[in-house]
Amino acid sequence: MEEVRKRAEELRSLLNYHNYRYYVLDSPEISDSEYDKLFRELKDLEQKYPELITPDSPTRRVGAPPLKEFGIVRHRLPLLSLDNAFSYEELLAWRKRVVGILKKEEFDLVCELKMDGVAVALIYEGGLLTRGATRGDGWEGEDITQNLRTVRSIPLSVKDGSSFEVRGEVFLPREGFKKLNEEREREGLPGFANPRNAAAGSLRQLDPGVTAHRFLDIYTYALGWSERETPPPDHFSALALLESRGFKINPYNILCSSIEEVEKFHQRWKEERKNLPYETDGIVVKVNRFDFQDALGSTGHEPRWSIAYKFPSKEAVTRLLDIGINVGRTGNLNPYAILEPVSVGGVVIGSAGLHNEDYIRAKDIKIGDRVAVHRAGEVIPEVIGPIVSERRGGEREFAMPQTCPVCGAKVVRLPGEAMHRCTNAACPAQALERVKHFVSRGGMDIEGMGEKLCAHLLREGLIKNASDIYFLSKEDLLNLERMGEKSVQNLLLSVEESKGRPFQKVIFALGIPQVGEETAEILAHEFENMDELALAAPEELSLIPTIGPKVAGEIVSFFRNEGNLKLIQKLKEAKVKLSQEERRITLPLEGKEFVFSGELSFPRKEAEEKVKAQGGRVGSSLTSRTTYLVQGKSPGSKLRRAQEEDITIIDEQEFLRLSG
Ligand code: IVH
C-alpha cells in the first residue's frame, strides 16, 4: 500500500510538472499520449484507492457537479479598477500627480499588457488553491472556484505551502474564441461578440464541465495579500515570486525607469498587439516600489499608483438609423446597417453588411438600437451587437420586404436557404450587379468600366446585359456625358483586349451562382470549351472533386436559362475566347533519360518501348544527361561509374513503377 501511495504521489507531481510545462511555460517535454498514459495510471489508482485522492490531484480539475447558483466571496482587500489615460498627455498628467505626492522625480515603473478578459482573485491556503472569485463590485465577487480549477494554467497547489491571494486576468485566446463561435454556429446558438464576453460567459457557467472545454487561459498580474515574513519590496519582484511559484506571468512585462520608455512600450504594442494570440486593450503602468504605492494610496475605486494607458479603440458605439437592402447579382437581398457615421480607429464607418434576416435576429439587432461596431480583421465594418441596456422602447424589429425594393417583384426565401431573393431575373438591380461582376478584376477585367458607367449604359438602354458591351460603337459612347474621344478610345481598347482573357475568367465573369474564382478555374480545367460545359449533366459535374450537388445544380440551371444561352451566343459572335488554351500534354517521363545495365526479367526492347511511350529517352552510355541507371542482373562497369558520378540507380521494380 505504501508503494501505491508513493506511486500516486509521484504521478501527481509528474503530471503537475508536465501540466506546468505545457500550459504555463508553453514548452512541453512529453507527448500528449505519454501524458495521457500517466494520467490514466493515476486515475486508475485513485479509483481503486479513493483515499489516495488529494485536492490538488490533476484528475480533480474537472468533474465537480453543476451548481444551482454561485456563492458570494468577500474580498479581504478590495479589487480596485483602474483610471484610464487615452493619450501621452494624459499619461504625463498622471505622472505629474505621482511626482507631486511622492516629491520625487525618479521612480521605476512596471509596464504590462492590459489583457482584455475577466479579473479574478485566487486564494491559496497552505499551498492549496481553496477559492477563486470574480472581481464583482470590487468588494464582493462570485465564488467561481470550480470553474477556475478547470483553467489548466492555474496551479492547483504551490510547492512552498504558503498562503496568499493572487490576481490575474482570465482570457480566451483568439483561436479558442474562433473555435467556440464556430461550434455555437453549428449548434444554431448566437455567437459571442468578442473574446472578453466569451471568457466572462464561460466563467459564469454553473456547470464546470462546460467551462473546462473553453480553452481559457490566465495571466496573473498582482500579489494580493500574503502571509509571509518578508513580502517582496516591489511589484516586479512580486511578479518574479509568483512566476517561481508556477503562475503564468506575461513575458512582455518590463521595468522602466522613465516615462519615455513607457511611451515606447505603448507605441510598440499599439502596432504589434495584432500579432498576439489574445486581445489586449492597452498597457497598465504601475509604480514599482510597494512603499511608494502605499504613499500614493487610492481614490475610492482606483489606485493612484497605477493607470491604464489605452490603445486607440477599434470599437465604437453608434446608432443604427435604419436597415437598407442591396439587391445582388443573383437577386439576393442583402441587408445592411445604415449607421450614424462614427470613427473607428481613425476611419469613418457609415454602413455595414448584415448578411441576412436570421443573422439580424440572432444578434437581436433592432432599428434605432445603439450598436457596437468595429472593423473585422481591421478592415470590414461589422456590427458586433446592440447595447440592449440602452434601449428606450422605440426600437423596431426588422422584417425583410415582401417585394423587391428595386423592381417590385415578389421576394421568396427558398427552403434551406438563408437569403431572400428577388424572383425577377430582369430586375435592373440584378442586371447592374451582373454587368459589374462581368467587367470586374477577377472577371473580364475591363479597365474604365466603373460602376457609374455600367449603370449609365444600362439606363440609356445601350446595353441590356454584359454581352452587349462587345457591340458598343464609338458613336454610342461619345454621345454619353463626360466621355471624351480619348476615354472612349481607351475603353474600346480594353473591351477588345478582354476578348482574349483565359477561359476560367470568362466562366467566373458569367456570374453563375456559387461559382467563384476557384470553382471557375476547376471547371476551365475539366471542360474544353463553353459548349461542353453548358451541356454537362449534373452527375458529370458532381464527379469533379470539390463540386457538390448544390453547385452542380446551379451550373446546370444556369445553362438551361434561355437568356444566359443567348448571352453566351453573343459572346461567341463577338469572338470572346470561350475555350481552353491549347494544352500540350506532358508525359510522365519527359526529359528523363534511362540507361540499362545487366539483364532484366523481360526483353530489353520492351523496356525501351515503355520509356519511349511515356516520353522518355534511352541512352546507350552514361552521360551528363542520364537521369537513371536501371540495374539488372549482373550489371557491368556502368554500375560502378554511375555510383561514382552520383547518378540515381534504380532496380527493375522501381523502373516498372516509374514507367507504368
Ligand atoms: S492591475 C489595482 N494589470 O483591467 C490594479 N489589471 O481596467 C488592478 N487588467 O480590473 C488591476 N490586465 O481586470 C492590472 N496587467 C494588468 C491587467 C489588468 C488587465 C484588467 C483588470 C482590471 C481592469 C481595470
Side-chain angles (χ1 to χ4, degrees), residues 80 82 112-115 119 135 169 221 284 286 303 305:
L80 302 177
L82 293 171
E112 299 168 11
L113 288 173
K114 189 170 184 304
M115 305 300 302
R135 190 178 97 87
E169 196 86 348
Y221 53 63
V284 180
K286 299 171 183 174
W305 47 265

Side-chain angles (χ1 to χ4, degrees), residues 595-601 604 622 628-643 649-652:
V595 171
F596 295 90
S597 177
E599 211 177 299
L600 300 174
S601 62
R604 176 77 65 92
L622 296 171
Y628 297 107
L629 177 90
V630 185
Q631 171 192 356
K633 226 183 271 161
S634 42
S637 61
K638 281 184 199 152
L639 178 64
R640 220 192 48 238
R641 261 209 57 211
Q643 279 162 344
I649 300 166
I650 58 174
D651 60 12
E652 184 178 311

Side-chain angles (χ1 to χ4, degrees), residues 477-619:
L477 292 167
L478 278 173
N479 280 336
L480 292 176
E481 265 170 65
R482 262 173 302 168
M483 288 294 275
E485 183 84 27
K486 187 87 195 143
S487 44
V488 167
Q489 212 170 9
N490 284 340
L491 182 65
L492 287 174
L493 210 68
S494 26
V495 169
E496 194 56 34
E497 215 178 69
S498 75
K499 292 181 182 173
R501 297 269 181 263
F503 189 35
Q504 70 216 48
K505 298 269 181 193
V506 188
I507 298 176
F508 173 76
L510 291 178
I512 306 167
Q514 309 273 346
V515 176
E517 284 179 85
E518 242 170 80
T519 308
E521 201 179 327
I522 294 167
L523 291 172
H525 206 76
E526 293 288 331
F527 296 92
E528 274 307 296
N529 55 47
M530 197 63 90
D531 293 336
E532 262 188 36
L533 174 60
L535 289 172
E539 303 76 39
E540 190 183 348
L541 289 162
S542 295
L543 280 180
I544 304 169
T546 74
I547 292 188
K550 196 161 168 206
V551 181
E554 292 284 8
I555 297 169
V556 170
S557 66
F558 181 89
F559 287 109
R560 281 200 186 137
N561 177 297
E562 194 74 23
N564 292 334
L565 293 177
K566 269 196 196 140
L567 183 141
I568 291 167
Q569 187 52 40
K570 283 189 82 173
L571 290 180
K572 220 184 256 177
E573 282 164 25
K575 303 233 157 36
V576 172
K577 196 167 72 111
L578 300 178
S579 60
Q580 280 176 1
E581 316 281 319
E582 284 295 306
R583 261 195 307 160
R584 221 179 62 80
I585 301 164
T586 30
L587 293 167
L589 296 184
E590 228 162 82
K592 309 238 182 309
E593 184 173 302
F594 292 74
V595 171
F596 295 90
S597 177
E599 211 177 299
L600 300 174
S601 62
F602 50 92
R604 176 77 65 92
K605 189 133 185 68
E606 219 171 276
E608 292 181 0
E609 266 157 22
K610 270 179 183 296
V611 171
K612 286 184 195 145
Q614 300 285 1
R617 289 187 311 268
V618 177

